[in-house]
């Protein structure tokens, strides 16, 4: 089940910090997550199975665009279409919003994620050298066509 997180308490913030750390070994501190969500700078969508948070997508709002901060699924639940479901939710939000574009960075080696983004109409627009420790990032962009 997908849930949009628009209001965040300490418990939810800790869960978001923990899932990011589990998937990526790095995360925003829970205090920052809580503050940014409650101030409408961040928004998260989470995917739960039996009340356990097993996947998420987090975004940041910057002027007229959305930046994807991260999308991830816990290892044992991958290859089940969960990331695609989360992206569908994000795309629905984007299409109904006044934001004009979505930007993200992805590891050059993460072909599965790149395929997911191109499936949703993102285009690779540039590269950021050494964005990740010892690895470049490809920058992807999706723009609204009929504005």
């Amino acid at each position: 089940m997908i849930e949009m997180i628009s209001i965040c308490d300490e418990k939810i913030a800790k869960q978001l910090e923990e899932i990011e750390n589990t998937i990526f070994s790095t995360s925003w501190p829970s205090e920052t997550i809580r503050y940014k969500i409650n101030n409408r700078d961040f928004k998260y969508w989470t995917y739960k199975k039996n009340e356990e948070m097993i996947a998420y997508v987090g975004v940041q709002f910057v002027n007229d665009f959305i930046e994807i901060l991260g999308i991830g699924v816990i290892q044992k639940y991958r290859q089940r279409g969960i990331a695609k479901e989360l992206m569908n939710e994000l795309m629905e939000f984007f299409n109904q919003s006044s934001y004009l574009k979505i930007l993200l960075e992805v590891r050059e080696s993460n072909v599965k994620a790149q395929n997911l983004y191109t499936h949703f109409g993102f285009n690779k627009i540039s590269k950021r050298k050494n964005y990740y420790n010892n690895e470049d990032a490809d920058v992807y962009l999706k723009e609204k066509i009929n504005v």
Side-chain angles (χ1 to χ4, degrees):
M1 179 176 98
I2 295 176
E3 178 183 357
M4 182 173 64
I5 308 295
S6 297
I7 298 172
C8 187
D9 62 19
E10 187 175 331
K11 179 182 174 189
I12 293 170
K14 277 285 188 200
Q15 288 175 331
L16 290 167
E17 179 184 30
E18 287 170 10
I19 193 168
E20 285 184 351
N21 272 321
T22 298
I23 296 167
F24 298 112
S25 301
T26 184
S27 76
W28 290 91
S30 62
E31 299 82 15
T32 301
I33 292 170
R34 182 175 169 195
Y35 175 80
K36 295 277 194 174
I37 290 173
N38 290 335
N39 284 326
R40 299 183 183 185
D41 297 325
F42 286 4
K43 187 177 289 287
Y44 281 76
W45 287 262
T46 61
Y47 191 103
K48 291 184 177 180
K49 182 174 177 141
N50 301 325
E51 298 303 310
E52 177 191 4
M53 191 181 294
I54 63 167
Y56 80 98
V57 60
V59 301
Q60 173 173 246
F61 303 110
V62 182
N63 301 320
D64 67 345
F65 71 92
I66 296 170
E67 180 177 8
I68 296 178
L69 300 171
I71 180 169
V73 180
I74 290 175
Q75 181 71 39
K76 71 180 183 177
Y77 295 104
R78 292 182 185 164
Q79 303 300 311
R80 299 180 189 191
I82 295 170
K84 194 172 190 178
E85 287 185 53
L86 286 165
M87 285 297 293
N88 278 324
E89 290 288 323
L90 175 57
M91 291 300 100
E92 186 175 316
F93 174 83
F94 173 62
N95 290 330
Q96 294 175 6
S97 77
S98 61
Y99 295 100
L100 302 177
K101 54 192 166 191
I102 304 178
L103 183 74
L104 65 94
E105 295 90 8
V106 60
R107 287 181 186 277
E108 189 175 49
S109 62
N110 193 344
V111 175
K112 287 184 181 184
Q114 293 168 9
N115 290 338
L116 176 69
Y117 302 134
T118 56
H119 171 80
F120 281 96
F122 285 79
N123 295 301
K124 182 179 166 184
I125 59 165
S126 67
K127 183 177 295 293
R128 292 192 175 154
K129 293 285 185 191
N130 295 316
Y131 184 78
Y132 300 102
N133 290 336
N134 300 319
E135 187 173 357
D136 296 343
D138 291 332
V139 181
Y140 282 77
L141 177 70
K142 179 175 178 72
E143 296 184 272
K144 284 189 179 166
I145 296 172
N146 299 320
V147 179

